Amino acid sequence: MKEQLNTQARAVIEELYEKAGLKAGDIVVIGCSTSEIIGSRIGTDSSPEVANIVFEAIYEIAQQKGIYLAVQCCEHLNRAIVIEKVAAPWAEAVNVIPQPKAGGSMATQAYAHFKEPIVVEEIRADAGIDIGFTLIGMHLKKVAVPLRLDNNKIGEATVLAARTRPKFIGGIRATYDERLL
């Protein structure tokens, strides 16, 4: 199982990097239910061991590509974000340390592995991976574009992904007189 989860997690982050057109310095938000990965309902069977396998695989690729991970906590911590301080130097940290049953196993792993972790209330990420229907949309930039991944499973969990793009503003500019017509 360890080898399968490692392989699947690596394939997901590699495919996201490629399809989203990410570059060094970009931020990817990760939401992860280890319960869903092992075939249980979200929030019922948190697994630090599974989180460690998946986190290490994703984090290694992220470091190679120069992208930052922002790992979403569970609803018990209001979906706060664990991130490297260097990735969000402007962010105001909150005073909490995630635990497997209060923050989630994946967030706990991120806090343990990051060089200088901080927890913040929100982030505006460039792309995201949702492992097991954790609802990461609140932490993406304004215009999220779904990505259909070929690698859409980690264990038993469904993987959803998104990238973001700048807003399209404007079009044909009407003069004041034209608007009155």
Side-chain angles (χ1 to χ4, degrees):
M1 179 175 157
K2 180 179 179 178
E3 184 69 31
Q4 176 191 4
L5 295 178
N6 181 294
T7 300
Q8 289 174 321
R10 287 172 173 276
V12 165
I13 189 69
E14 289 273 9
E15 186 177 359
L16 176 75
Y17 182 83
E18 183 178 312
K19 286 187 173 177
L22 296 174
K23 59 190 178 318
D26 284 347
I27 298 173
V28 175
V29 64
I30 307 283
C32 179
S33 169
T34 56
S35 300
E36 291 278 335
I37 290 173
I38 61 177
S40 298
R41 285 188 59 212
I42 192 170
T44 62
D45 204 7
S46 189
S47 173
E49 297 79 19
V50 167
N52 188 54
I53 295 165
V54 174
F55 179 81
E56 285 185 350
I58 291 173
Y59 190 46
E60 182 180 338
I61 301 298
Q63 287 182 306
Q64 289 172 7
K65 305 286 188 187
I67 57 177
Y68 294 108
L69 298 182
V71 180
Q72 178 179 274
C73 295
C74 71
E75 65 183 294
H76 296 106
L77 294 184
N78 301 317
R79 304 207 189 285
I81 293 290
V82 180
I83 192 164
E84 295 270 13
K85 186 174 184 175
V86 68
W90 65 88
E92 185 176 342
V94 295
N95 191 17
V96 69
I97 298 174
Q99 303 298 312
K101 300 257 184 211
S105 290
M106 190 71 143
T108 302
Q109 289 299 318
Y111 198 89
H113 282 80
F114 288 163
K115 291 174 185 74
E116 193 175 355
I118 59 171
V119 181
V120 299
E121 289 186 279
E122 61 186 6
I123 194 76
R124 294 288 170 234
D126 301 291
I129 300 171
D130 184 321
I131 305 166
F133 303 107
T134 59
L135 300 176
I136 60 166
M138 66 190 283
H139 294 298
L140 292 169
K141 289 179 179 175
K142 291 277 187 185
V143 183
V145 179
L147 286 177
R148 187 175 296 271
L149 299 181
D150 296 325
N151 298 291
N152 60 6
K153 286 285 208 191
I154 296 179
E156 297 299 314
T158 300
V159 175
L160 304 173
R163 65 174 177 84
T164 61
R165 65 159 176 77
K167 293 180 187 180
F168 293 130
I169 302 294
I172 298 173
R173 184 180 169 137
T175 65
Y176 178 77
D177 292 337
E178 291 171 326
R179 287 182 288 193
L180 296 177
L181 299 176

